[in-house]
Short mmCIF file of all heavy atoms in Angstrom, two decimals:
data_model
loop_
_atom_site.label_atom_id
_atom_site.label_comp_id
_atom_site.label_asym_id
_atom_site.label_seq_id
_atom_site.Cartn_x
_atom_site.Cartn_y
_atom_site.Cartn_z
N HIS A 1 16.68 13.56 5.35
CA HIS A 1 15.91 13.17 6.53
C HIS A 1 14.42 13.18 6.23
O HIS A 1 13.69 12.26 6.62
CB HIS A 1 16.21 14.13 7.69
CG HIS A 1 15.26 14.00 8.84
ND1 HIS A 1 15.35 12.98 9.75
CD2 HIS A 1 14.19 14.75 9.19
CE1 HIS A 1 14.37 13.12 10.64
NE2 HIS A 1 13.66 14.18 10.32
N TRP A 2 13.97 14.19 5.50
CA TRP A 2 12.54 14.31 5.21
C TRP A 2 12.09 13.27 4.21
O TRP A 2 10.96 12.78 4.28
CB TRP A 2 12.23 15.74 4.76
CG TRP A 2 12.68 16.70 5.81
CD1 TRP A 2 13.69 17.61 5.72
CD2 TRP A 2 12.19 16.80 7.15
NE1 TRP A 2 13.85 18.28 6.92
CE2 TRP A 2 12.94 17.79 7.82
CE3 TRP A 2 11.18 16.15 7.87
CZ2 TRP A 2 12.71 18.15 9.13
CZ3 TRP A 2 10.96 16.51 9.18
CH2 TRP A 2 11.72 17.50 9.81
N ALA A 3 12.96 12.89 3.31
CA ALA A 3 12.64 11.79 2.39
C ALA A 3 12.46 10.50 3.18
O ALA A 3 11.54 9.72 2.92
CB ALA A 3 13.74 11.63 1.35
N GLY A 4 13.32 10.29 4.17
CA GLY A 4 13.21 9.11 5.02
C GLY A 4 11.93 9.10 5.84
O GLY A 4 11.30 8.06 6.02
N GLU A 5 11.53 10.28 6.33
CA GLU A 5 10.29 10.37 7.11
C GLU A 5 9.08 10.03 6.25
O GLU A 5 8.17 9.34 6.69
CB GLU A 5 10.15 11.77 7.72
CG GLU A 5 11.17 12.07 8.79
CD GLU A 5 11.07 11.14 9.99
OE1 GLU A 5 9.98 11.04 10.58
OE2 GLU A 5 12.09 10.50 10.32
N ILE A 6 9.06 10.51 5.02
CA ILE A 6 7.95 10.19 4.12
C ILE A 6 7.95 8.70 3.79
O ILE A 6 6.89 8.06 3.77
CB ILE A 6 8.03 11.05 2.84
CG1 ILE A 6 7.70 12.49 3.19
CG2 ILE A 6 7.08 10.52 1.77
CD1 ILE A 6 7.86 13.45 2.05
N LEU A 7 9.13 8.13 3.55
CA LEU A 7 9.21 6.70 3.26
C LEU A 7 8.72 5.86 4.44
O LEU A 7 8.07 4.84 4.25
CB LEU A 7 10.63 6.31 2.86
CG LEU A 7 11.07 6.76 1.48
CD1 LEU A 7 12.56 6.46 1.28
CD2 LEU A 7 10.24 6.09 0.40
N LYS A 8 9.03 6.29 5.65
CA LYS A 8 8.53 5.58 6.83
C LYS A 8 7.01 5.61 6.88
O LYS A 8 6.36 4.59 7.13
CB LYS A 8 9.11 6.18 8.11
CG LYS A 8 10.57 5.89 8.32
CD LYS A 8 11.08 6.64 9.54
CE LYS A 8 12.58 6.69 9.55
NZ LYS A 8 13.09 7.59 10.61
N ALA A 9 6.44 6.78 6.64
CA ALA A 9 4.98 6.92 6.68
C ALA A 9 4.32 6.09 5.58
O ALA A 9 3.33 5.39 5.82
CB ALA A 9 4.59 8.39 6.55
N VAL A 10 4.87 6.15 4.40
CA VAL A 10 4.29 5.39 3.27
C VAL A 10 4.46 3.90 3.50
O VAL A 10 3.58 3.11 3.14
CB VAL A 10 4.93 5.85 1.94
CG1 VAL A 10 4.52 4.95 0.79
CG2 VAL A 10 4.56 7.29 1.63
N SER A 11 5.54 3.48 4.12
CA SER A 11 5.73 2.05 4.38
C SER A 11 4.69 1.52 5.36
O SER A 11 4.23 0.39 5.23
CB SER A 11 7.15 1.78 4.90
OG SER A 11 7.32 2.28 6.22
N ILE A 12 4.29 2.34 6.32
CA ILE A 12 3.21 1.94 7.24
C ILE A 12 1.89 1.83 6.49
O ILE A 12 1.12 0.89 6.69
CB ILE A 12 3.12 2.92 8.42
CG1 ILE A 12 4.39 2.79 9.29
CG2 ILE A 12 1.87 2.67 9.25
CD1 ILE A 12 4.55 3.88 10.31
N LEU A 13 1.63 2.78 5.60
CA LEU A 13 0.41 2.74 4.78
C LEU A 13 0.39 1.48 3.91
O LEU A 13 -0.63 0.79 3.82
CB LEU A 13 0.33 3.99 3.90
CG LEU A 13 -0.76 3.99 2.84
CD1 LEU A 13 -2.13 4.10 3.50
CD2 LEU A 13 -0.53 5.12 1.87
N ILE A 14 1.50 1.16 3.29
CA ILE A 14 1.58 -0.02 2.42
C ILE A 14 1.38 -1.30 3.23
O ILE A 14 0.72 -2.24 2.78
CB ILE A 14 2.91 -0.04 1.66
CG1 ILE A 14 2.90 1.06 0.61
CG2 ILE A 14 3.18 -1.38 1.02
CD1 ILE A 14 4.23 1.30 -0.03
N THR A 15 1.95 -1.35 4.42
CA THR A 15 1.77 -2.52 5.28
C THR A 15 0.30 -2.68 5.65
O THR A 15 -0.24 -3.79 5.61
CB THR A 15 2.64 -2.41 6.54
OG1 THR A 15 4.01 -2.25 6.15
CG2 THR A 15 2.50 -3.63 7.42
N ALA A 16 -0.36 -1.58 5.99
CA ALA A 16 -1.78 -1.64 6.33
C ALA A 16 -2.61 -2.10 5.13
O ALA A 16 -3.50 -2.95 5.26
CB ALA A 16 -2.25 -0.28 6.83
N LEU A 17 -2.32 -1.56 3.95
CA LEU A 17 -3.06 -1.97 2.75
C LEU A 17 -2.80 -3.42 2.39
O LEU A 17 -3.72 -4.13 1.95
CB LEU A 17 -2.69 -1.06 1.57
CG LEU A 17 -3.26 0.35 1.61
CD1 LEU A 17 -2.68 1.19 0.49
CD2 LEU A 17 -4.77 0.33 1.55
N SER A 18 -1.58 -3.89 2.60
CA SER A 18 -1.28 -5.30 2.34
C SER A 18 -2.02 -6.22 3.30
O SER A 18 -2.44 -7.31 2.92
CB SER A 18 0.23 -5.54 2.44
OG SER A 18 0.92 -4.81 1.47
N LEU A 19 -2.19 -5.77 4.53
CA LEU A 19 -2.95 -6.54 5.51
C LEU A 19 -4.43 -6.56 5.15
O LEU A 19 -5.07 -7.62 5.20
CB LEU A 19 -2.73 -5.96 6.91
CG LEU A 19 -3.34 -6.72 8.07
CD1 LEU A 19 -2.74 -8.13 8.16
CD2 LEU A 19 -3.09 -5.98 9.37
N VAL A 20 -4.98 -5.43 4.77
CA VAL A 20 -6.38 -5.36 4.36
C VAL A 20 -6.61 -6.21 3.11
O VAL A 20 -7.64 -6.87 2.98
CB VAL A 20 -6.79 -3.88 4.12
CG1 VAL A 20 -8.14 -3.79 3.43
CG2 VAL A 20 -6.80 -3.12 5.43
N HIS A 21 -5.65 -6.22 2.22
CA HIS A 21 -5.74 -6.99 0.97
C HIS A 21 -6.04 -8.46 1.23
O HIS A 21 -6.76 -9.10 0.47
CB HIS A 21 -4.41 -6.83 0.21
CG HIS A 21 -4.43 -7.33 -1.19
ND1 HIS A 21 -4.25 -8.66 -1.51
CD2 HIS A 21 -4.58 -6.68 -2.36
CE1 HIS A 21 -4.30 -8.80 -2.81
NE2 HIS A 21 -4.50 -7.61 -3.36
N ILE A 22 -5.52 -8.99 2.31
CA ILE A 22 -5.71 -10.40 2.64
C ILE A 22 -7.17 -10.70 2.95
O ILE A 22 -7.68 -11.75 2.60
CB ILE A 22 -4.81 -10.78 3.84
CG1 ILE A 22 -3.34 -10.74 3.42
CG2 ILE A 22 -5.17 -12.15 4.39
CD1 ILE A 22 -2.37 -10.89 4.56
N PHE A 23 -7.86 -9.76 3.59
CA PHE A 23 -9.21 -10.02 4.07
C PHE A 23 -10.31 -9.65 3.08
O PHE A 23 -11.48 -9.81 3.37
CB PHE A 23 -9.44 -9.29 5.39
CG PHE A 23 -8.55 -9.81 6.48
CD1 PHE A 23 -7.44 -9.10 6.89
CD2 PHE A 23 -8.83 -11.03 7.07
CE1 PHE A 23 -6.61 -9.60 7.89
CE2 PHE A 23 -8.01 -11.54 8.06
CZ PHE A 23 -6.90 -10.82 8.47
N ILE A 24 -9.95 -9.15 1.91
CA ILE A 24 -10.93 -8.80 0.89
C ILE A 24 -11.18 -10.03 0.01
O ILE A 24 -10.26 -10.53 -0.64
CB ILE A 24 -10.42 -7.63 0.01
CG1 ILE A 24 -10.10 -6.41 0.86
CG2 ILE A 24 -11.41 -7.32 -1.10
CD1 ILE A 24 -11.29 -5.76 1.50
N PRO A 25 -12.42 -10.53 -0.04
CA PRO A 25 -12.68 -11.73 -0.84
C PRO A 25 -12.92 -11.45 -2.32
O PRO A 25 -12.72 -12.33 -3.15
CB PRO A 25 -13.94 -12.31 -0.19
CG PRO A 25 -14.63 -11.14 0.40
CD PRO A 25 -13.56 -10.17 0.80
N ASP A 26 -13.31 -10.23 -2.68
CA ASP A 26 -13.68 -9.92 -4.06
C ASP A 26 -12.44 -9.67 -4.92
O ASP A 26 -11.62 -8.79 -4.61
CB ASP A 26 -14.59 -8.70 -4.08
CG ASP A 26 -15.20 -8.42 -5.44
OD1 ASP A 26 -14.96 -9.21 -6.38
OD2 ASP A 26 -15.93 -7.42 -5.55
N ILE A 27 -12.32 -10.42 -5.99
CA ILE A 27 -11.15 -10.32 -6.87
C ILE A 27 -11.10 -8.95 -7.55
O ILE A 27 -10.01 -8.39 -7.75
CB ILE A 27 -11.15 -11.46 -7.91
CG1 ILE A 27 -10.97 -12.80 -7.20
CG2 ILE A 27 -10.06 -11.26 -8.94
CD1 ILE A 27 -11.15 -14.01 -8.08
N LYS A 28 -12.25 -8.40 -7.88
CA LYS A 28 -12.27 -7.09 -8.53
C LYS A 28 -11.74 -6.00 -7.59
O LYS A 28 -11.00 -5.12 -8.02
CB LYS A 28 -13.69 -6.75 -8.98
CG LYS A 28 -14.20 -7.66 -10.08
CD LYS A 28 -15.64 -7.35 -10.39
CE LYS A 28 -16.19 -8.37 -11.38
NZ LYS A 28 -17.63 -8.18 -11.60
N VAL A 29 -12.11 -6.08 -6.33
CA VAL A 29 -11.61 -5.10 -5.35
C VAL A 29 -10.11 -5.28 -5.16
O VAL A 29 -9.36 -4.31 -5.07
CB VAL A 29 -12.37 -5.23 -4.01
CG1 VAL A 29 -11.78 -4.32 -2.95
CG2 VAL A 29 -13.85 -4.94 -4.19
N LYS A 30 -9.68 -6.55 -5.10
CA LYS A 30 -8.24 -6.82 -4.95
C LYS A 30 -7.46 -6.28 -6.15
O LYS A 30 -6.36 -5.76 -6.00
CB LYS A 30 -7.99 -8.31 -4.81
CG LYS A 30 -8.33 -8.84 -3.45
CD LYS A 30 -7.91 -10.28 -3.32
CE LYS A 30 -8.28 -10.75 -1.94
NZ LYS A 30 -7.48 -11.85 -1.47
N THR A 31 -8.03 -6.40 -7.34
CA THR A 31 -7.37 -5.88 -8.53
C THR A 31 -7.24 -4.36 -8.43
O THR A 31 -6.20 -3.80 -8.76
CB THR A 31 -8.15 -6.27 -9.80
OG1 THR A 31 -8.22 -7.70 -9.87
CG2 THR A 31 -7.48 -5.74 -11.04
N GLY A 32 -8.29 -3.70 -7.97
CA GLY A 32 -8.22 -2.25 -7.76
C GLY A 32 -7.17 -1.87 -6.72
O GLY A 32 -6.44 -0.90 -6.90
N MET A 33 -7.09 -2.66 -5.65
CA MET A 33 -6.07 -2.41 -4.64
C MET A 33 -4.67 -2.62 -5.22
O MET A 33 -3.74 -1.88 -4.90
CB MET A 33 -6.27 -3.31 -3.43
CG MET A 33 -7.46 -2.92 -2.58
SD MET A 33 -7.62 -3.94 -1.11
CE MET A 33 -6.24 -3.33 -0.13
N ASN A 34 -4.52 -3.64 -6.06
CA ASN A 34 -3.22 -3.90 -6.69
C ASN A 34 -2.80 -2.72 -7.57
O ASN A 34 -1.63 -2.33 -7.57
CB ASN A 34 -3.27 -5.17 -7.53
CG ASN A 34 -3.29 -6.42 -6.68
OD1 ASN A 34 -3.05 -6.38 -5.49
ND2 ASN A 34 -3.59 -7.55 -7.30
N ILE A 35 -3.75 -2.16 -8.31
CA ILE A 35 -3.44 -1.02 -9.15
C ILE A 35 -3.04 0.19 -8.30
O ILE A 35 -2.07 0.88 -8.60
CB ILE A 35 -4.63 -0.69 -10.07
CG1 ILE A 35 -4.83 -1.82 -11.09
CG2 ILE A 35 -4.43 0.64 -10.79
CD1 ILE A 35 -6.13 -1.77 -11.86
N ALA A 36 -3.77 0.41 -7.21
CA ALA A 36 -3.44 1.52 -6.30
C ALA A 36 -2.07 1.31 -5.65
O ALA A 36 -1.25 2.24 -5.59
CB ALA A 36 -4.51 1.66 -5.23
N LEU A 37 -1.80 0.09 -5.19
CA LEU A 37 -0.49 -0.20 -4.59
C LEU A 37 0.63 -0.06 -5.61
O LEU A 37 1.72 0.44 -5.28
CB LEU A 37 -0.48 -1.61 -3.98
CG LEU A 37 -1.13 -1.75 -2.62
CD1 LEU A 37 -1.36 -3.22 -2.27
CD2 LEU A 37 -0.29 -1.07 -1.56
N ALA A 38 0.38 -0.47 -6.84
CA ALA A 38 1.41 -0.32 -7.88
C ALA A 38 1.70 1.15 -8.13
O ALA A 38 2.86 1.55 -8.31
CB ALA A 38 0.96 -1.01 -9.17
N GLY A 39 0.66 1.97 -8.10
CA GLY A 39 0.87 3.41 -8.26
C GLY A 39 1.71 4.00 -7.14
O GLY A 39 2.59 4.83 -7.37
N ILE A 40 1.45 3.54 -5.93
CA ILE A 40 2.26 3.99 -4.79
C ILE A 40 3.71 3.54 -4.97
O ILE A 40 4.64 4.31 -4.77
CB ILE A 40 1.68 3.46 -3.46
CG1 ILE A 40 0.32 4.09 -3.18
CG2 ILE A 40 2.64 3.74 -2.30
CD1 ILE A 40 -0.44 3.46 -2.03
N TRP A 41 3.89 2.28 -5.38
CA TRP A 41 5.24 1.76 -5.52
C TRP A 41 6.01 2.38 -6.67
O TRP A 41 7.23 2.45 -6.63
CB TRP A 41 5.23 0.23 -5.64
CG TRP A 41 5.17 -0.39 -4.30
CD1 TRP A 41 4.11 -1.01 -3.72
CD2 TRP A 41 6.22 -0.43 -3.34
NE1 TRP A 41 4.44 -1.42 -2.45
CE2 TRP A 41 5.73 -1.07 -2.19
CE3 TRP A 41 7.53 0.03 -3.32
CZ2 TRP A 41 6.50 -1.28 -1.06
CZ3 TRP A 41 8.31 -0.18 -2.19
CH2 TRP A 41 7.79 -0.83 -1.08
N VAL A 42 5.31 2.87 -7.68
CA VAL A 42 6.00 3.58 -8.77
C VAL A 42 6.57 4.89 -8.25
O VAL A 42 7.65 5.32 -8.67
CB VAL A 42 5.04 3.80 -9.96
CG1 VAL A 42 5.58 4.83 -10.93
CG2 VAL A 42 4.78 2.49 -10.68
N THR A 43 5.87 5.53 -7.30
CA THR A 43 6.35 6.82 -6.78
C THR A 43 7.40 6.68 -5.68
O THR A 43 8.17 7.62 -5.46
CB THR A 43 5.18 7.66 -6.24
OG1 THR A 43 4.53 6.95 -5.20
CG2 THR A 43 4.20 8.01 -7.34
N ILE A 44 7.46 5.55 -5.01
CA ILE A 44 8.39 5.41 -3.89
C ILE A 44 9.86 5.63 -4.28
O ILE A 44 10.57 6.36 -3.59
CB ILE A 44 8.18 4.06 -3.16
CG1 ILE A 44 6.95 4.17 -2.29
CG2 ILE A 44 9.38 3.66 -2.32
CD1 ILE A 44 6.59 2.94 -1.53
#
């Protein structure tokens, strides 16, 4: 149950970051966000 609760919380965070990713025009910032998101997805 607690694993599911953490996955729910992280999924909301990932959705928010994916939404923010759309509005960032700088490719360097997007690359940094991609690296951060990849790190999150490696742990999921």
